[in-house]
Amino acid sequence: MKSRKPLYMLLVFLGLPLVVGQLGGLATQSSVSGWYQTLEKSVLTPPPLVFPFAWTLLYLLMGLAAWLVWRAGGRAPLALWGLQLAVNLAWSFLFFGLRDPELGLANILLLLPLVAATALWFRRWSPIAFWLLLPYLAWTAFAAYLNLTIVLLN
Amino acid sequence: MKSRKPLYMLLVFLGLPLVVGQLGGLATQSSVSGWYQTLEKSVLTPPPLVFPFAWTLLYLLMGLAAWLVWRAGGRAPLALWGLQLAVNLAWSFLFFGLRDPELGLANILLLLPLVAATALWFRRWSPIAFWLLLPYLAWTAFAAYLNLTIVLLN
């Protein structure tokens, strides 16, 4: 290690999305075994167990990307990263907390360009950080499709 | 980055404990709102919400410690690290899955020296890795106390 500070910041950047994941999980728990099961869904919908694993990986990648940009000296793009993270968290509370798929869809349609813009801005600071956000962008697009089918089918 | 390989291994070492956390959470979910609430517990028992956040942080620290040792060239200590991680996962299935606090206690009493030995072995490769495992060791000791009181009071 050049110094301990990067290591400390790595924990901060990895920890923030994972805490968001835990908070989102709390909003999800009460609905996922009841209300969510009653919804008509796309045939492409993965089993519920897939989501916590997928999101844990995506949150790790997201945190690592932010840390790389931070380490490369990027500061302003991290504000956008924080914003997209807040919007990401809001989805769980809109879709599962309020049980409102339409608000959830509106939220994802806001999230998608925010994630894309974050990835593009990150690329100026760290090409790897850009690539680390692409699975997240792809999964968010997939989530938008799943959410849309729920709006249309119910 | 000197190369991309350390970054890839960072994801592996951070991901393994977090996946263990997700698997443990699956074993916990069905019991935490029912059976667990009926148990007599120590007055020092934190609210249930504390545990997922504490464990997420501890898993992050654990993964970071393992990565530092790996990066420093340590290989044999990582086998012990993997073993303690497997024993850690087993606790959720013994205590919550089988609803057997005595097996859970036996498991933690095995886990404690494994974590202590891992920390001490890690110190030879990375002093920071040693310190990163101390919160985990302290929390495991606290968990042993909580588990013991559940065995004694029920």
Side-chain angles (χ1 to χ4, degrees):
Chain A
M1 306 306 296
K2 286 173 201 156
S3 84
R4 292 187 186 189
K5 206 179 165 200
L7 204 58
Y8 170 77
M9 290 305 290
L10 175 60
L11 280 175
V12 169
F13 283 117
L14 290 168
L16 279 172
L18 290 168
V19 162
V20 160
Q22 296 291 339
L23 291 172
L26 298 178
T28 305
Q29 268 174 23
S30 64
S31 294
V32 83
S33 54
W35 169 74
Y36 176 74
Q37 285 192 326
T38 68
L39 295 171
E40 290 290 325
K41 286 182 281 289
S42 160
V43 290
L44 295 179
T45 304
L49 293 186
V50 169
F51 292 97
F53 289 98
W55 278 110
T56 298
L57 175 63
L58 296 173
Y59 285 135
L60 269 181
L61 297 175
M62 201 188 299
L64 197 54
W67 178 65
L68 289 172
V69 168
W70 177 84
R71 220 175 55 155
R75 292 298 177 267
L78 296 175
L80 187 59
W81 179 84
L83 177 64
Q84 65 77 26
L85 188 59
V87 174
N88 177 304
L89 174 61
W91 183 85
S92 299
F93 286 92
L94 296 172
F95 187 95
F96 281 111
L98 299 181
R99 301 185 178 183
D100 190 328
E102 288 176 14
L103 277 180
L105 182 60
N107 172 284
I108 297 191
L109 294 179
L110 172 65
L111 181 59
L112 267 175
L114 286 176
V115 174
T118 304
L120 288 173
W121 203 354
F122 272 20
R123 189 165 58 169
R124 296 194 203 167
W125 295 92
S126 160
I128 302 175
F130 168 75
W131 288 102
L132 288 174
L133 287 187
L134 290 194
Y136 175 35
L137 188 62
W139 185 267
T140 305
F142 177 55
Y145 158 76
L146 294 177
N147 192 326
L148 173 65
T149 54
I150 286 173
V151 169
L152 294 177
L153 295 174
N154 295 276
Chain B
M1 306 307 298
K2 285 172 201 156
S3 83
R4 293 188 185 190
K5 205 178 165 200
L7 204 58
Y8 171 76
M9 290 306 289
L10 175 60
L11 279 175
V12 170
F13 283 116
L14 290 168
L16 280 173
L18 290 167
V19 163
V20 159
Q22 296 291 340
L23 291 172
L26 298 179
T28 304
Q29 269 175 21
S30 64
S31 293
V32 83
S33 55
W35 170 75
Y36 176 76
Q37 285 193 328
T38 68
L39 295 171
E40 290 289 326
K41 286 181 281 288
S42 160
V43 290
L44 295 179
T45 304
L49 293 188
V50 169
F51 293 96
F53 289 98
W55 277 111
T56 299
L57 175 63
L58 296 173
Y59 286 135
L60 269 183
L61 297 174
M62 200 187 300
L64 198 53
W67 178 65
L68 288 173
V69 167
W70 177 84
R71 221 176 52 156
R75 293 295 178 269
L78 295 175
L80 188 59
W81 179 84
L83 177 65
Q84 67 77 26
L85 189 59
V87 173
N88 178 304
L89 174 60
W91 183 86
S92 299
F93 287 91
L94 295 173
F95 187 94
F96 281 110
L98 299 180
R99 301 186 178 182
D100 190 329
E102 290 175 14
L103 277 181
L105 182 61
N107 173 283
I108 295 191
L109 294 178
L110 172 66
L111 181 59
L112 267 174
L114 286 177
V115 175
T118 304
L120 288 173
W121 204 354
F122 272 21
R123 191 165 57 169
R124 296 194 203 167
W125 294 93
S126 160
I128 301 175
F130 168 75
W131 288 102
L132 288 173
L133 287 187
L134 289 194
Y136 175 35
L137 188 62
W139 185 267
T140 305
F142 177 55
Y145 158 76
L146 294 176
N147 193 325
L148 173 66
T149 55
I150 286 173
V151 169
L152 294 177
L153 295 173
N154 294 277

